[in-house]
Amino acid sequence: MQTAAVILAAGLGKRMRSRLPKVLHPLAGRPLLAHVLETARSLNPARLLVVYGHGGDAVRSAFTELDCLWVEQAEQRGTGHAVIQALPALTGIDRVLVLYGDVPLIQAETLKCLLELAQEMPLVLLTAELTDPSGYGRILRNEVGQVVGVVEERDATEAERAIREVNTGFLVAERASLERWLSQIGNRNAQGEYYLTDLVAIAAREGARIATARPQEVHEIIGVNDRVQLAELERIYQGRQARALMQSGVTLADPDRFDLRGRLVAEPDVFIDIDVIIEGEVQLASGVRIGPYCLLKDCAIGPDSEVLSHSVIDGARIGAQVRIGPFARIRPETQLADRVQVGNFVEIKKAHLGEGSKANHLTYLGDAEIGRGVNIGAGTITCNYDGATKHQTRIEDGAFIGSNTALVAPVIVGAGATIGAGSVITRAAPPERLTLARAQQVTVEGWRRPKPPA
Ligand code: UD1
Ligand code: MG
C-alpha cells in the first residue's frame, strides 16, 4: 500500500501575535513543523507533503530537505480546502494520513495504529476523551456507537457540546474515497470554511465503515495556538526527554529544570545539576558532572570530567578527568586533552591544550597550540589578532607562563621555558630558559612623598 502523509501548515496562527509563522516557532530548539516532519518521515511514507500558505517563503526556506513536496494554499479557506490543494499531488497513492504542523507531540506509535486500522477501513479517525473538550470538534455517534459525523464547537448544539469525545484532526483515509468525499463538502458553517471534518458525515451517509483510535498519551494531540500552549508543550516535551535520560542512567538534579534542545548521548552515571541547557549534538561520557547554570553546545566531554557552574562550552572536544570552570567559556574548535584544568574567567578559542596543562584564572587563549604540562599564569593573553589577521601562538611542553603575560602572536615559547610575570613576549622564547620582557624595577633614593599644605 502506498501511503502519503499530508501535513497541514497553512494556518495563520494569529494568536501567536508574531511575525514568525506559527509552525516556525521553536519547540526544544527546532521549528514545530520540523518535529511533525520527523515523525511523519519515521513512518516511511511513499510521499510526504506540506500544505503551506501563511508566511510561505519563510516556511519553505526554513526547510532544505528534498524529500517533501510543498503545496501552496494561497488563501486559508479551511482544513478541507487545504487537503483539496494536495489532491493533485496524490496520484497513485492508496491512502492518506493527515497531520498538523502545529501539533508537534504526536507519536509515531499512535500513527502506526491508525495506519494499521486503515488497512481494512476507508476512514480512521484519531479521537480522544477530554475532561475539558472545549475548542475541539465533537465526535457524533449513533445509538449503536458508529461514528456519524464531527461537529465543530461553533456549530454545535448545547447537547453536542456536552460530548467529551473530540476530534483530534488526525485521520487516515483511502485516497479515492477522500477525493470523492471532499468534492461534496461545502462551507455553510459558522466560519464559512471548508471543513475537513465534514467528510466524516458524508462518508457515514455513504455507508463507509469508520474506525476510531486513541492516542497513547493525551498531550500528543494538543495543538499550539498561542505562546502559553507553546510553553506548556515545551515542558511536556522536556519532561519526556528528561525521563528517557534518567531511565538510561543519567541523574538530573531536577528534571523540571533541564532543557535539551538537540541530541544528548550520555553514558551512565552522568550527573547534571539544575538549569543546564544542552544544544545541538552533545556527548557526555560516564561519570561526567555538569554543575548548575551551564550551557553545553555541540561538544563531547570525556569520562569523569567536571564542568563547574556557569560555564559555557561550545564546539569543543574535552578529554577525560578535565576540570572546567566555574565561569569558564570554551569556544569552537577547542580541544582539551586529559586532566587539563581551566578555571574561572578563562576564555579559550580554537586552541589545543595538551595533557595536564592548566590555565586557572583570568586568561584568553585563542589560536594556540599548547603542549603537555604547561602552566598558564593568571591574566595571560594570547594577542592573536593584529586588526587584520589571526596569528598562532605555540607553547611547548612543560612551559611556565608567568602571570599577566601578553604573548604577541605569531610567537613560540619553547619546551620547559619560563616567562617572567608581566612580560610582553614578541619573539621566540628559548626552551628551558627564563625569559622576561619588563621594565627594570628601580627604587628612587631620597624621594619624599609630597605632603598636603598645612
Ligand atoms: C480542527 C478541526 C477540529 C479539531 C481540531 C483539533 C476542522 C474543521 N476542525 O479545528 O475538529 O477538533 O482541529 O485541533 O478541521 N489549516 C490549513 N489551512 C486552512 C486552515 C487550517 O493549513 O485553511 C491548518 C492549520 O495551520 C492547523 C490545522 O490546519 O495546523 C487546523 O486548523 P485550525 O484552524 O486550527 O482548526 P481548528 O479550528 O483547531
Ligand atoms: Mg487548531
Side-chain angles (χ1 to χ4, degrees):
M1 245 209 254
Q2 299 278 308
T3 303
V6 176
I7 302 174
L8 304 191
L12 273 139
K14 234 185 263 165
R15 283 172 283 171
M16 294 299 284
R17 298 179 186 281
S18 176
R19 284 176 302 181
L20 192 66
K22 176 162 75 175
V23 293
L24 294 187
H25 277 260
L27 178 85
R30 285 188 308 150
L32 291 170
L33 181 54
H35 291 267
V36 183
L37 272 169
E38 183 183 271
T39 306
R41 206 174 269 132
S42 77
L43 303 167
N44 289 315
R47 227 165 283 167
L48 184 51
L49 279 82
V50 180
V51 180
Y52 73 100
H54 185 72
D57 291 342
V59 175
R60 279 199 66 158
S61 53
F63 295 89
T64 50
E65 296 98 326
L66 300 170
D67 65 340
C68 61
L69 288 166
W70 295 84
V71 175
E72 192 178 4
Q73 184 194 21
E75 245 186 291
Q76 281 77 67
R77 298 169 65 190
T79 48
H81 182 258
V83 176
I84 289 169
Q85 309 312 300
L87 290 175
L90 293 173
T91 48
I93 290 295
D94 300 307
R95 55 180 188 178
V96 180
L97 164 67
V98 178
L99 305 104
Y100 299 85
D102 57 356
V103 187
L105 301 189
I106 189 72
Q107 294 286 283
E109 285 312 310
T110 297
L111 298 174
K112 279 181 196 153
C113 276
L114 292 187
L115 292 170
E116 193 97 344
L117 285 166
Q119 293 191 338
E120 327 244 298
M121 306 288 239
L123 180 59
V124 183
L125 308 175
L126 184 70
T127 73
E129 191 88 23
L130 299 183
T131 33
D132 176 13
S134 53
Y136 288 88
R138 309 296 205 279
I139 302 290
L140 306 177
R141 292 180 184 267
N142 64 16
E143 326 66 60
V144 290
Q146 289 165 325
V147 174
V148 294
V150 172
V151 61
E152 291 306 298
E153 181 163 85
R154 297 191 208 211
D155 304 296
T157 64
E158 191 92 354
E160 286 167 340
R161 285 186 191 201
I163 298 170
R164 296 194 315 157
E165 186 184 10
V166 302
N167 173 40
T168 67
F170 291 90
L171 60 82
V172 182
E174 199 254 314
R175 205 255 323 156
S177 306
L178 178 69
E179 213 163 323
R180 192 173 60 252
W181 297 329
L182 284 175
S183 71
Q184 299 171 51
I185 64 171
N187 64 347
R188 294 223 306 235
N189 50 53
Q191 300 191 81
E193 286 188 353
Y194 293 89
Y195 288 166
L196 179 62
T197 44
D198 279 358
L199 65 79
V200 179
I202 294 166
R205 255 182 271 131
E206 219 182 54
R209 293 191 302 153
I210 303 171
T212 58
R214 291 282 160 91
Q216 300 184 330
E217 293 174 77
V218 77
H219 53 242
E220 287 180 50
I221 61 137
I222 305 174
V224 173
N225 291 312
D226 57 31
R227 295 178 200 243
V228 175
Q229 280 169 326
L230 180 61
E232 282 164 9
L233 290 196
E234 177 78 27
R235 288 334 304 163
I236 292 169
Y237 189 87
Q238 292 299 344
R240 242 190 217 172
Q241 298 190 123
R243 272 193 300 283
L245 282 170
M246 291 187 288
Q247 266 143 10
S248 74
V250 174
T251 297
L252 297 177
D254 182 355
D256 289 335
R257 283 180 290 172
F258 168 74
D259 286 87
L260 170 56
R261 301 171 190 160
R263 212 163 65 91
L264 170 62
V265 178
E267 290 176 6
D269 294 316
V270 163
F271 171 82
I272 300 177
D273 214 323
I274 61 160
D275 289 325
V276 169
I277 296 175
I278 295 183
E279 294 182 354
E281 298 276 324
V282 171
Q283 289 174 40
L284 303 178
S286 74
V288 164
R289 296 181 69 83
I290 309 295
Y293 314 109
C294 289
L295 171 63
L296 309 181
K297 183 179 174 193
D298 296 318
C299 60
I301 302 183
D304 299 314
S305 287
E306 186 166 16
V307 180
L308 303 174
S309 76
H310 299 91
S311 295
V312 176
I313 302 182
D314 176 6
R317 299 193 68 80
I318 314 288
Q321 293 170 47
V322 169
R323 204 182 67 213
I324 296 173
F327 299 99
R329 179 173 181 211
I330 313 294
R331 294 171 51 199
E333 295 182 60
T334 293
Q335 285 182 31
L336 306 182
D338 298 347
R339 285 174 288 285
V340 160
Q341 289 180 22
V342 174
N344 45 224
F345 309 107
V346 173
E347 175 179 347
I348 305 184
K349 186 219 77 171
K350 210 174 181 179
H352 298 169
L353 270 70
E355 197 182 329
S357 290
K358 296 175 186 172
N360 274 327
H361 333 264
L362 302 154
T363 285
Y364 172 63
L365 302 171
D367 303 293
E369 192 63 48
I370 295 165
R372 305 154 159 247
V374 169
N375 199 314
I376 311 271
T380 297
I381 306 286
T382 53
C383 309
N384 58 333
Y385 187 50
D386 57 15
T389 327
K390 300 280 166 63
H391 300 282
Q392 284 286 123
T393 297
R394 197 165 95 221
I395 303 175
E396 295 177 343
D397 295 351
F400 180 101
I401 313 296
S403 297
N404 212 32
T405 293
L407 298 162
V408 182
V411 72
I412 298 174
V413 176
T418 299
I419 306 294
S423 294
V424 176
I425 301 296
T426 55
R427 284 173 284 127
E432 306 295 342
R433 310 268 292 277
L434 170 66
T435 300
L436 31 106
R438 62 162 100 108
Q440 286 289 319
Q441 178 170 325
V442 290
T443 301
V444 179
E445 293 304 329
W447 181 83
R448 294 269 174 277
R449 194 188 297 165
K451 286 202 171 68

